[in-house]
Amino acid sequence: MDRFILLMLACILAGFALLKVPLAGTFLAGLEPITNLIGILAIVIFSLFLIFKGLMALLGK
């Protein structure tokens, strides 16, 4: 189970990396809104999942 939690944390970090990647001045500049959206979704979804798993662990399920 520890590897699964670490994978979720790595996904959150990857979401932050997508938000911070500089795409200005490259041929990928047009994809910046898409990478920002994917990064935000990754952060929110995996964070909510970790909060849910933490609450389930506290409640004993």
Side-chain angles (χ1 to χ4, degrees):
M1 189 62 166
D2 291 332
R3 287 183 156 216
F4 188 66
I5 299 298
L6 290 176
L7 178 64
M8 296 296 122
L9 290 174
C11 291
I12 293 171
L13 287 175
F16 278 113
L18 276 175
L19 288 178
K20 293 293 185 180
V21 68
L23 295 177
T26 66
F27 67 96
L28 296 173
L31 297 177
E32 190 168 5
I34 295 171
T35 59
N36 285 340
L37 179 66
I38 293 171
I40 290 169
L41 285 176
I43 294 167
V44 169
I45 291 170
F46 291 115
S47 296
L48 288 175
F49 182 77
L50 282 178
I51 291 170
F52 175 74
K53 291 298 271 187
L55 288 174
M56 287 292 122
L58 284 175
L59 296 175
K61 293 193 175 211

